[in-house]
Amino acid sequence: MNNRLAFEIVCPHNHNQTVKFTQDEFEAALKANALLFHCNTCNTKWPATSDEIAKFRKQFAAHSK
């Protein structure tokens, strides 16, 4: 079973991106303060917002039921 979930995000320059995490990868990146997104279109990096983090956690919780 693949427990990696795909999340759609938008970079600061309005490019759509897809990121994939397992819940363990996601939480480890947060704990290490290493959760940065990267846009392959414009090469921009940016941190996750608190709203995005909450949305990801909600999707992980829904997926684990």
Side-chain angles (χ1 to χ4, degrees):
M1 178 176 136
N2 186 357
N3 58 355
R4 195 170 257 220
L5 297 182
F7 302 95
E8 299 299 320
I9 59 172
V10 178
C11 91
H13 300 283
N14 291 325
H15 300 120
N16 295 327
Q17 302 292 309
T18 301
V19 293
K20 295 180 181 180
F21 298 105
T22 64
Q23 187 168 9
D24 289 340
E25 291 169 339
F26 174 74
E27 295 296 339
L30 283 177
K31 285 180 186 173
N33 203 23
L35 184 60
L36 281 179
F37 298 129
H38 175 260
C39 179
N40 295 324
T41 304
C42 66
N43 203 31
T44 299
K45 293 182 182 178
W46 71 99
T49 66
S50 58
D51 288 342
E52 288 170 322
I53 292 168
K55 180 177 104 175
F56 294 170
R57 283 185 169 147
K58 184 176 180 180
Q59 288 181 348
F60 281 123
H63 187 262
S64 66
K65 289 183 179 181

